[in-house]
Amino acid sequence: MKRERPVIAIDGPVGAGKSTIARELAREFGFVYLNTGAMYRAVGIAARRAGLKPEEAANDDRLKELLARVRIEFNGERITLDGTDISDQVSAPEVSDLASKFSALRIVRERMRELQRAAGEKGGVVMEGRDIGTVIFPDAEIKFFLEADVEVRAERRFKELSAKGDSITHEEVLRQLIERDRRDRARELAPLKRADDAIVIDSTKLTIAQVVAVMKKHIEQRINSGKALKRA
Ligand code: DC
């Protein structure tokens, strides 16, 4: 099916600012925002509830069944798993770890790919994650790869978690972030990497508003040049 509106893909490592920026861009253009990391987090929570461990689940029929029937829904800032609100659990560090580990499994990625493609097929969507521009929508009209220095990313993540009342230390956040990025980049399936045609933005020295402004300019240029279909 031909899309009438663009798919905007934003990929990058932990803490580069993808979620805040993607949400803001979606609002600016009147597009839907899809946080694919939150989908993997929901799968991690669902699997944990079912007593599954990522190291043993690859060929487990229970994981297959769980993926076939799992319902992950977004409502503004909230996310529900099979009808139950899990928004307060998704950003916990142990859920980040679970999401990263389960996301390396083929059956998990295949099911998420199906759901994410269905959610974006009509366009008018800003989708963020690790493999949007490389695997989910390699034909996305606009692709960004958002980076920042590791120390800056850890500091942002630390502030976010502290604000939520988590007592984790800065050192621990940095350690977990490095480990998760390493795993997400090293995995065999759909590893985190920049698509050849992605626009790279380094947010180390930029505010959220500045990154949004730069991306907006790129998107508008493409829309105006007729390369990116129309806006909302
Ligand atoms: O974006 P996030 O930190 O909420 O993502 C959590 C984990 O989910 C991340 O460490 C790897 C995985 N993930 C993925 O494999 N592919 C995506 N498109 C998004 C997230």
Side-chain angles (χ1 to χ4, degrees), residues 171-187:
E171 288 66 36
E172 184 56 15
V173 170
L174 178 64
R175 195 193 62 73
Q176 289 182 3
L177 183 149
I178 291 171
E179 169 56 17
R180 190 145 65 93
D181 276 348
R182 190 205 56 75
R183 194 188 303 121
D184 294 343
R185 287 181 199 274
R187 70 176 174 230

Side-chain angles (χ1 to χ4, degrees), residues 91-107:
S91 52
E94 61 279 14
V95 176
S96 307
D97 190 55
L98 275 178
S100 175
K101 287 179 176 159
F102 275 102
S103 75
L105 304 182
R106 182 178 300 277
I107 52 170

Side-chain angles (χ1 to χ4, degrees), residues 3 5 36 105 129 145 182 207 232:
R3 293 193 284 270
R5 298 193 298 159
T36 63
L105 304 182
F145 194 82
R182 190 205 56 75
T207 63

Side-chain angles (χ1 to χ4, degrees), residues 128-139:
E128 55 113 339
R130 303 290 187 287
D131 63 339
I132 311 306
T134 50
V135 173
I136 305 300
F137 283 104
D139 63 342

